[in-house]
Amino acid sequence: MALVFFALYLFSTFLIVPIIAPWFGREKIDDTAKISAHNFITKLCNRNYVTPNLNEVLKNISLQLNKKHPDIKVIYLDANFPFIDKFPLLPHLSHNDGKKIDIAFIYKNNQQKISNLKPSRSGYGVFEAPLKTEINQPLICKKKNYWQYDFTKHLTFGITNNQLSLDTEASATLIQIIANNPKVSKVFIEPHLKTRMKLHNSKIRYHGCKAVRHDDHIHFQIK
């Protein structure tokens, strides 16, 4: 019985849902030479759907990034479900209308070469913590009893590449490309990373203590 259910689920997920999703104003993000899901679970769980406008923005961002770093893909994490606005994509607060997506930072290996690899299996939970000289927003939020602020440290599903470190320059380039797109309305990262990366675009902002920390990924959304 379980085998039949799993077969039906796979059939629906990969053959039926992509056909029905456009009726709800969503479409699947296709993996290409320039865009890829970080892991198969995202696609298996139908968390890889966006509006046509966001899909077009994502493709444009990948083309711009490719000009700067030809071997580097835009690696996305969670996007949205294929159906029904306002249906929650847990644990996210706002990924419920097809207009939001999380993108992984760009990392480099211990030979200082930038890579498409990410530190954790989920893409979440490995934080680029504030330096002693930087504003420590995670600590501020925790002191205000926002216990969930660093909850994603429990959602790594395993650290697979602990030799990686954040490539500040390449990640800043990616964020600037995202923020410069006229259809993008907001980009969320932690304040200390905005300062460290010398990012000044007004679209790049702080998301508040009610969310989770954003020094393990980039969130952006369109109008």
Side-chain angles (χ1 to χ4, degrees):
M1 193 66 173
L3 186 60
V4 172
F5 171 80
F6 189 60
L8 287 173
Y9 180 84
L10 290 177
F11 178 79
S12 299
T13 293
F14 294 106
L15 295 176
I16 303 300
V17 173
I19 296 173
I20 299 174
W23 300 353
F24 295 84
R26 312 278 173 89
E27 58 186 32
K28 180 169 64 73
I29 302 170
D30 291 321
D31 283 6
T32 69
K34 300 179 180 67
I35 302 171
S36 179
H38 176 53
N39 61 57
F40 181 70
I41 300 299
T42 300
K43 296 182 283 187
L44 183 64
C45 294
N46 292 295
R47 300 167 78 94
N48 60 325
Y49 283 81
V50 293
T51 63
N53 277 342
L54 180 48
N55 216 358
E56 192 61 35
V57 167
L58 196 60
K59 291 173 184 176
N60 182 269
I61 289 167
S62 72
L63 290 171
Q64 295 294 319
L65 181 65
N66 185 254
K67 292 176 182 178
K68 301 280 188 179
H69 300 288
D71 296 326
I72 298 300
K73 295 182 177 183
V74 171
I75 306 292
Y76 71 90
L77 308 176
D78 279 343
N80 308 261
F81 284 135
F83 313 128
I84 310 173
D85 283 356
K86 306 304 179 184
F87 188 85
L89 184 90
L90 297 176
H92 306 281
L93 296 178
S94 64
H95 289 234
N96 58 16
D97 60 3
K99 298 179 180 180
K100 283 91 175 180
I101 192 167
D102 288 344
I103 303 294
F105 287 123
I106 299 172
Y107 295 85
K108 56 189 175 183
N109 60 26
N110 49 17
Q111 280 81 46
Q112 303 302 300
K113 182 178 179 180
I114 60 174
S115 169
N116 283 311
L117 296 176
K118 310 303 172 189
S120 72
R121 286 193 173 92
S122 70
Y124 295 102
V126 178
F127 305 124
E128 182 64 23
L131 303 174
K132 290 182 179 180
T133 55
E134 295 173 333
I135 183 172
N136 194 328
Q137 192 63 49
L139 181 61
I140 293 170
C141 290
K142 295 287 282 186
K143 285 184 175 180
K144 292 180 178 179
N145 295 321
Y146 289 96
W147 61 270
Q148 88 297 336
Y149 200 70
D150 61 358
F151 181 75
T152 46
K153 68 185 178 185
H154 302 296
L155 300 177
T156 63
F157 303 132
I159 309 300
T160 54
N161 297 295
N162 58 10
Q163 84 284 2
L164 296 176
S165 58
L166 181 70
D167 190 305
T168 304
E169 183 177 347
S171 294
T173 296
L174 173 57
I175 295 169
Q176 286 171 333
I177 290 170
I178 293 170
N180 287 340
N181 189 291
K183 292 185 178 179
V184 170
S185 59
K186 295 177 185 178
V187 182
F188 292 154
I189 60 170
E190 287 294 322
H192 67 274
L193 291 183
K194 181 176 181 179
T195 301
R196 189 185 305 176
M197 295 179 184
K198 299 180 174 62
L199 298 168
H200 305 292
N201 192 305
S202 61
K203 294 179 185 178
I204 304 168
R205 59 186 70 177
Y206 176 56
H207 42 80
C209 285
K210 292 182 180 179
V212 295
R213 59 192 290 181
H214 283 64
D215 49 0
D216 59 345
H217 70 281
I218 307 156
H219 166 105
F220 81 86
Q221 58 195 65
I222 62 170
K223 300 172 183 177

